[in-house]
Amino acid sequence: MREIVVLSGKGGTGKTSLTAAFAHLASPVLICDLDVDAPDLHLILHPEQTQTHEFMGGHTAVIDSDTCTACGLCGQMCRFDAIECVDGRYRVNSLRCEGCSVCVHFCPEGAIAFPEKQSGHWFSSWTRFGPMMHAQLFASEENSGKLVALLRSRAKEKATEIGMELILSDGPPGIGCPVISSLSGVSYAILVTEPTPSGRHDLERVVSLCGHFGVPAGVIVNKSDLNPKECAGIERYCKDHHLDLIGKLPFDPVITHAMVEAKAVTEFESSGFTNRIRSLWDRICELAIQNKN
């Protein structure tokens, strides 16, 4: 089983649009949207949810007012100002509580419970390109890396169950915890960048991350004709660091038109641009096979 993840190091590079196009070209394929904080692949794929599950991703302290003696120790020890005293009774402000459990451990009366809380949902769905695993954290919730790991685990189980040989994942932007959770142990990483100083800077960060985890990676330069000088610099960087330069894509409004129609660009219109994407996918398949873990 191969697992390919599409990353960017930053948002706005065209990562999700390319993932949708690759899913169309590879269909049937098992698709994962691993951007659990702000997912948007569903806007193109319109998944029909077949299963919905609660994601329990953390804990929040709760004070039992009948047991509490109002000694105030919890309020003194809380570094997040989450303990409030109202009319002589102590309570926890759940919006401020970071789930550190200091108050739970040091309460002399054992009056503070620490129940698990729901932090979001994850879904098993079906799309026109194949099955899909995706999720949505609640606003301001943490543990996105844990949710990403859960999605990947369920995706592998599903792929084994239905005999699917490829998992294609749209990864989150940046290089933080959810990206690390998306990247570790995959067969190949597609890194989408753009020819700007910030695009190159963030590409270098995610390349370093791939190197740390020993994941082979290739680069796609999107909107490559907007800044030829920066694009040439990215090409040199790939050569110097022995990275696969999968290819380059010019700026083309067809991407926007396809998004408006909620379609993958390769199913929206057949053109020179979409033929370039087909060539990129053929090249990715060759590289992923060569570098299969």
Side-chain angles (χ1 to χ4, degrees), residues 3-227:
E3 190 176 359
I4 298 175
V5 63
V6 185
L7 298 172
S8 61
K10 66 182 291 293
T13 62
K15 170 178 60 64
T16 297
S17 294
L18 284 177
T19 301
F22 293 151
H24 172 232
L25 297 175
S27 62
V29 62
L30 200 155
I31 308 156
C32 275
D33 189 349
L34 300 179
D35 186 356
V36 298
D37 290 286
D40 51 16
L41 188 58
H42 65 280
L43 298 175
I44 300 176
L45 301 189
H46 300 291
E48 296 181 9
Q49 295 174 14
T50 56
Q51 295 181 2
T52 300
H53 305 269
E54 294 181 351
F55 171 63
M56 310 302 287
H59 297 79
T60 298
V62 178
I63 298 175
D64 181 355
S65 59
D66 292 333
T67 309
C68 175
T69 60
C71 69
L73 181 61
C74 56
Q76 297 171 24
M77 301 196 70
C78 181
R79 293 296 177 264
F80 304 101
D81 296 324
I83 309 295
E84 302 173 342
C85 183
V86 179
D87 297 328
R89 289 180 173 269
Y90 283 83
R91 67 184 184 188
V92 177
N93 183 330
S94 61
L95 295 178
R96 288 180 174 271
C97 180
E98 292 289 326
C100 69
S101 76
V102 166
C103 60
V104 178
H105 289 290
F106 287 95
C107 176
E109 304 299 330
I112 306 179
F114 200 49
E116 197 172 29
K117 67 173 180 177
Q118 183 184 356
S119 299
H121 291 96
W122 66 275
F123 313 98
S124 178
S125 301
W126 189 264
T127 75
R128 59 190 182 277
F129 302 147
M132 179 176 178
M133 296 291 180
H134 53 121
Q136 175 70 73
L137 277 177
F138 294 152
S140 77
E141 292 293 344
E142 298 182 352
N143 278 319
S144 54
K146 180 179 178 181
L147 181 51
V148 167
L150 174 65
L151 281 181
R152 288 185 60 195
S153 175
R154 294 294 185 266
K156 291 175 184 177
E157 292 176 4
K158 184 69 173 180
T160 300
E161 175 188 334
I162 63 179
M164 196 73 73
E165 292 296 323
L166 174 63
I167 299 174
L168 178 64
S169 298
D170 182 17
I175 60 168
C177 183
V179 179
I180 292 171
S181 189
S182 301
L183 182 65
S184 56
V186 302
S187 306
Y188 196 76
I190 304 167
L191 311 181
V192 183
T193 189
E194 56 191 6
T196 63
S198 62
R200 175 170 175 171
H201 171 266
D202 293 325
L203 171 66
E204 292 175 359
R205 295 198 306 164
V206 77
V207 165
S208 177
L209 197 62
C210 289
H212 177 79
F213 287 102
V215 174
V219 176
I220 295 175
V221 185
N222 196 19
K223 311 170 195 172
S224 59
D225 54 338
L226 295 186
N227 192 329

